[in-house]
Amino acid sequence: VLFRSLDGESVAAIVDYDELEFPDESDDRMGVVYDAVSLRVRKCDLKGKYQPGLVVTFNGEKWRVLSCNGMELTVLKLYKERS
């Protein structure tokens, strides 16, 4: 567990990096690759509602929320277009 910056707040999170080809059905650009990250955080450490499509700052970079679910331990999935 490491402390990460999420929207200016320091949160304890388990972080897994990955990549996506399509974050959702609304993006039909073939060949676009996205970086993805899954954060496992305690729900009580999240300071807001993280709805799909919301732009957030994670470790100083802009990401979009792909999903956010879970009870006590929440899995927050983020993505951004690879530059």
Side-chain angles (χ1 to χ4, degrees), residues 6-7 50 54-58 61-65 78:
L6 180 63
D7 280 342
Y50 292 90
L54 178 72
V55 177
V56 298
T57 302
F58 173 64
E61 297 180 301
K62 298 290 184 190
W63 294 75
R64 290 194 178 273
V65 174
L78 308 175

Side-chain angles (χ1 to χ4, degrees), residues 1-2 4 11-16 37-41 73-74 76:
V1 175
L2 299 173
R4 303 293 185 167
V11 295
I14 298 171
V15 180
D16 292 317
V37 63
S38 294
L39 308 175
R40 288 168 181 76
V41 298
L73 186 62
T74 299
L76 176 61

